[in-house]
């Protein structure tokens, strides 16, 4: 599994969570590194939640017949796509936003059994909600921020 992040600290955390290889997406030409690591094939699936800043590279990183699942746009929503890449390479682009309550309950079974767990960066008091937003805007967290009353 390949993971991308925008800092060495986040890349190290991704490795600790099980990434086989890590790539800093702030480096020019990072999709070429993806191709290098996959013997020029590209990846099967990209989970894209950053948005405009990484979108073109995410598209380029897919192998022929690959799928991109998008679920966020923290760096902007106006991403450019060379649509020729989509039809020449038979790519699939899927949008995903949360899910039904039943799906959440099914996923929570895996949490309860310990098969998956949330990555929590830190817990803040509800009164620190502004700080939480600032951390997200600065991309200064790895994982979820939890607000408690």
């Amino acid at each position: 599994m390949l993971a991308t992040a925008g800092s060495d600290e986040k890349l190290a955390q991704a490795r600790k969570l099980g990434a086989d290889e890590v790539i800093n997406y702030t480096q020019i030409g990072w999709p070429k590194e993806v191709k290098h690591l996959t013997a020029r094939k590209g990846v099967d699936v990209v989970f894209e939640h950053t948005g405009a800043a990484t979108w073109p590279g995410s598209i380029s990183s897919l192998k022929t017949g690959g799928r991109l699942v998008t679920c966020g746009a923290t760096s902007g929503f106006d991403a450019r796509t060379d649509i020729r890449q989509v039809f020449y390479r038979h790519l699939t682009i899927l949008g995903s936003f949360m899910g039904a309550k039943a799906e959440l309950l099914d996923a929570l079974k895996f949490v309860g059994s310990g098969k998956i767990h949330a990555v929590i960066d830190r817990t803040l008091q509800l009164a620190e909600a502004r700080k939480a937003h600032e951390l997200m805007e600065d991309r200064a967290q790895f994982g979820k921020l939890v607000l408690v009353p």
Side-chain angles (χ1 to χ4, degrees):
M1 175 181 59
L2 301 177
T4 62
S7 72
D8 291 339
E9 296 81 14
K10 289 182 179 184
L11 292 172
Q13 289 174 310
R15 271 205 194 275
K16 285 181 190 176
L17 290 171
D20 298 311
E21 298 289 346
V22 295
I23 301 168
N24 188 323
Y25 65 74
T26 66
Q27 302 300 312
I28 294 174
W30 67 267
K32 289 182 181 178
E33 182 64 14
V34 171
K35 295 290 185 162
H36 170 75
L37 291 170
T38 60
R40 302 182 51 81
K41 293 179 184 175
V43 296
D44 295 307
V45 179
V46 169
F47 290 99
E48 169 57 69
H49 53 88
T50 303
T54 54
W55 184 268
S58 293
I59 295 287
S60 296
S61 296
L62 289 166
K63 74 176 196 176
T64 298
R67 295 163 290 171
L68 184 143
V69 180
T70 180
C71 57
T74 55
S75 70
F77 62 88
D78 193 15
R80 302 283 181 190
T81 302
D82 180 343
I83 60 172
R84 295 173 298 182
Q85 292 297 314
V86 177
F87 60 83
Y88 286 163
R89 295 175 43 225
H90 306 276
L91 303 179
T92 302
I93 299 173
L94 304 167
S96 178
F97 185 74
M98 309 218 0
K101 184 177 179 180
E103 293 168 319
L104 173 61
L105 295 174
D106 283 343
L108 286 175
K109 292 175 188 173
F110 290 100
V111 174
S113 69
K115 292 181 180 176
I116 62 172
H117 67 278
V119 176
I120 298 173
D121 181 84
R122 69 189 85 177
T123 301
L124 301 164
Q125 294 297 310
L126 184 57
E128 297 177 283
R130 179 184 179 116
K131 180 179 179 181
H133 280 274
E134 290 169 350
L135 288 166
M136 287 188 290
E137 288 173 10
D138 293 340
R139 297 175 20 227
Q141 93 285 350
F142 185 92
K144 301 300 180 187
L145 299 169
V146 178
L147 297 174
V148 294

